Amino acid sequence: MKINYITTSTFGLEAVVKREVERLGGENINVSDGRIDFSGGIEMIPRFNMWLRSGDRLLINFAEFYAYTFDELFEKTKALPWEDWITIDGKFTVTGKSIKSQLFSVSDCQSIVKKAIVERLKPKYNVEWFEETGPEYKVQVGLLKDKVTLTIDTTGPGLHKRGYRLDAVVAPLKETIAAALIDLSYWKKDRILFDPMCGSGTIAIEAAMIARNIAPGLTRDFASKYWPQIDEKIWKDEKSKAYAEINVDVRPEIYASDMDPKAIETAKHNSRLAGVDDSIFFDTRKFDSQTPAPGDYGVMISNPPYGERIGTLEEMKEIHKNLGLFLKRNPSWSLYVITSNEEFEKQLGKKADKKRKLFNGNVKTDYYQYFGPRPPKNDTI
């Protein structure tokens, strides 16, 4: 059975998520703003939830149609085979959004879709009241220019919730975005990686998990795990494969530092929960003009403080200047920085080789990329 899926994405990271979908076996892939559509078998549900590093969640694209009136929305929703997924005891909620559509009241659209589903299921299950004590099915009704998309969320809490970051510091970077920043860099597991303003350690931890090929969702739970439509054996097989693919022999050279001792303690704790604490060298120190490079041909990836997060303008300016000085002292290094500061290149003192617009939460940022030389072929790093 082929199922139509949607993997949602942070704006600006669609190309990264598309590559993940391709690697995981998605078919008939189509990319649009904030989403990647594809098709595949039911085994995609555990596989994608377990392995997506940069995608936000996996949805079943249940139906798409146009609706210009509430009656039309009700009838077309009611005509769909909801009983194929939602069980008699299923707990289902309806969320919604509407952009540039005649049906602009989101709350009304949610109520109508919920009622339509109930009216569809009543005769199918021969009941008048649903207990909703069983598996969770989160339905979303999305309207864009009068086109309705009805989806069922297979994930539950977003995929950025890996399970290892029980503690966080101020303004943490989402794990999914951190993984994407690494993917967009030239870093590989045999090169040095350094985050000098690591906060709770997300970039370093995600890099270590990539190096060891640890599935990011391996130890967490998902809403669809309790759906009877997916045989428990499929979940067990996918999890067994994921465990078998972990490369425990890899010891990447990853360095992470921060001036805040509490942040470093948090980062160490998180790395232990992620199972990569032996792959990261943590250090409590302030990044300044004299910060040494831990080797040659390394890759620095960082999410330094910026205006909408923390830090004063003068502090940010000093950090950016020091990043430029670091590059001058270490010409073999590559630098990747995400920030909302539009003066970043000027303050660093060099124009980026490439930059990409993306959103960190609701904050519009740029990902500045400075490409250093490739390591010599006979070099082990």
Side-chain angles (χ1 to χ4, degrees):
M1 176 179 68
K2 291 292 183 181
I3 301 170
N4 293 323
Y5 295 104
I6 297 171
T7 293
T8 55
S9 165
T10 295
F11 286 102
L13 297 180
E14 291 88 351
V16 176
V17 180
K18 179 191 176 184
R19 288 197 292 271
E20 291 190 76
V21 171
E22 289 173 336
R23 287 196 295 266
L24 293 172
E27 302 172 2
N28 306 312
I29 300 170
N30 183 57
V31 180
S32 55
D33 288 345
R35 61 185 271 183
I36 293 83
D37 292 72
F38 66 99
S39 61
I42 200 166
E43 72 280 358
M44 295 294 186
I45 293 176
R47 183 182 305 164
F48 274 67
N49 277 305
M50 232 175 283
W51 278 103
L52 278 172
R53 294 191 190 276
S54 301
D56 291 326
R57 58 182 63 248
L58 179 69
L59 310 173
I60 294 172
N61 189 354
F62 196 65
E64 292 185 312
F65 54 82
Y66 284 91
Y68 304 93
T69 67
F70 289 130
D71 285 342
E72 195 172 8
L73 177 62
F74 178 86
E75 293 299 336
K76 288 185 176 181
T77 300
K78 183 183 176 183
L80 297 170
W82 293 100
E83 66 277 4
D84 288 352
W85 290 99
I86 301 176
T87 57
I88 189 171
D89 63 343
K91 177 184 177 182
F92 65 99
T93 56
V94 180
T95 61
K97 58 183 178 180
S98 179
I99 301 172
K100 297 180 181 178
S101 298
Q102 293 185 46
L103 304 181
F104 58 85
S105 172
V106 173
S107 59
D108 286 338
C109 291
Q110 291 174 198
S111 297
I112 287 166
V113 168
K114 174 83 174 186
K115 183 180 179 182
I117 296 172
V118 169
E119 292 305 314
R120 168 75 187 198
L121 295 179
K122 278 182 180 180
K124 297 294 180 179
Y125 291 128
N126 194 29
V127 296
E128 287 296 318
W129 178 260
F130 294 92
E131 295 289 340
E132 297 194 48
T133 57
E136 184 175 3
Y137 301 87
K138 186 177 179 181
V139 176
Q140 183 179 80
V141 50
L143 290 94
L144 176 61
K145 297 179 180 178
D146 301 314
K147 186 178 182 180
V148 178
T149 301
L150 293 170
T151 61
I152 304 175
D153 181 13
T154 74
T155 301
L159 289 172
H160 69 282
K161 294 184 179 294
R162 316 289 207 214
Y164 66 74
R165 196 167 72 182
L166 298 185
D167 296 310
V169 296
V170 176
L173 186 70
K174 274 189 176 181
E175 293 88 332
T176 46
I177 296 178
L181 299 185
I182 296 164
D183 186 279
L184 288 168
S185 77
Y186 284 140
W187 179 78
K188 302 295 180 187
K189 63 185 178 182
D190 56 351
R191 295 186 69 173
I192 296 171
L193 185 142
F194 179 27
D195 181 0
M197 291 160 277
C198 70
S200 58
T202 307
I203 290 174
I205 292 169
E206 288 294 318
M209 292 177 70
I210 290 169
R212 284 192 168 168
N213 201 34
I214 299 173
L218 186 57
T219 60
R220 59 157 285 179
D221 211 353
F222 303 99
S224 51
K225 186 178 179 181
Y226 304 96
W227 295 357
Q229 293 87 354
I230 310 172
D231 194 307
E232 188 178 355
K233 186 177 183 300
I234 298 177
W235 283 100
K236 288 181 177 179
D237 287 348
E238 289 295 333
K239 181 163 281 194
S240 295
K241 289 177 187 176
Y243 273 114
E245 291 182 24
I246 296 174
N247 193 336
V248 295
D249 297 324
V250 169
R251 290 290 188 274
E253 195 172 351
I254 299 172
Y255 297 85
S257 61
D258 199 281
M259 64 183 292
D260 183 356
K262 290 183 179 179
I264 291 298
E265 285 306 309
T266 296
K268 287 180 177 179
H269 177 64
N270 292 343
S271 71
R272 286 193 292 271
L273 291 177
V276 294
D277 53 307
D278 61 343
S279 299
I280 306 171
F281 302 91
F282 289 104
D283 185 26
T284 303
R285 68 168 296 155
K286 181 179 180 180
F287 178 73
D288 57 31
S289 60
Q290 300 304 313
T291 298
D296 297 321
Y297 297 99
V299 177
M300 180 182 285
I301 305 176
S302 196
N303 174 40
Y306 45 85
E308 290 81 354
R309 289 177 64 224
I310 50 178
T312 66
L313 291 175
E314 285 304 312
E315 287 172 337
M316 286 189 289
K317 186 175 180 179
E318 185 70 16
I319 288 170
H320 300 163
K321 178 183 175 182
N322 289 334
L323 287 169
L325 292 173
F326 181 92
L327 272 187
K328 283 185 179 179
R329 294 197 317 272
N330 303 282
S332 71
W333 274 67
S334 300
L335 172 66
Y336 300 84
V337 175
I338 179 174
T339 180
S340 67
N341 191 314
E342 295 181 357
E343 297 293 313
F344 176 78
E345 289 170 302
K346 180 180 177 181
Q347 293 171 2
L348 181 135
K350 184 179 180 181
K351 186 176 177 61
D353 295 305
K354 187 176 182 180
K355 67 178 182 178
R356 176 187 292 261
K357 293 187 182 297
L358 55 90
F359 281 82
N360 181 11
N362 294 321
V363 180
K364 183 180 178 182
T365 67
D366 284 291
Y367 187 41
Y368 295 89
Q369 303 164 60
Y370 296 85
F371 306 140
R374 293 183 178 180
K377 289 185 178 180
N378 62 346
D379 201 315
T380 58
I381 64 169

